Amino acid sequence: MITWDETKRRENVRKHKIDLVELEPVFDFPMVTVEDSRESYGELRLQSLGMCEVESSFWSGRREVKTPRT
């Protein structure tokens, strides 16, 4: 099951016109995933390219230990 922060979901819809609810099917198909190491996020961030109506998504695994950004 995929979970998300509801406030973040609404913000994505407003800013990017992408609803996280619609991204769930992308995980049912093959995709390419790489670590997003452009900056220190305090958590593991991944970029995925898969079959969906959007070209990429950014996500983080919730099992990772998160440290606050400074």
Side-chain angles (χ1 to χ4, degrees):
M1 173 177 24
I2 297 171
T3 60
W4 53 83
D5 179 276
E6 186 61 24
T7 302
K8 179 69 173 172
R9 184 191 74 80
R10 286 192 304 269
E11 183 180 328
N12 275 328
V13 171
R14 182 182 58 76
K15 286 172 53 178
H16 308 292
K17 309 296 188 254
I18 297 171
D19 192 340
L20 298 174
V21 172
E22 296 173 6
L23 293 178
E24 191 166 351
V26 77
F27 294 96
D28 294 334
F29 297 95
M31 65 176 132
V32 175
T33 301
V34 296
E35 184 175 352
D36 180 357
S37 58
R38 295 174 294 168
E39 59 183 270
S40 178
Y41 295 102
E43 65 183 4
L44 177 65
R45 284 259 179 119
L46 303 170
Q47 296 176 319
S48 296
L49 177 62
M51 298 179 70
C52 193
E53 291 183 19
V54 296
E55 294 179 6
S56 63
S57 63
F58 299 85
W59 57 284
S60 61
R62 293 297 175 208
R63 287 179 265 177
E64 297 296 321
V65 175
K66 297 181 180 128
T67 55
R69 291 187 200 180
T70 56

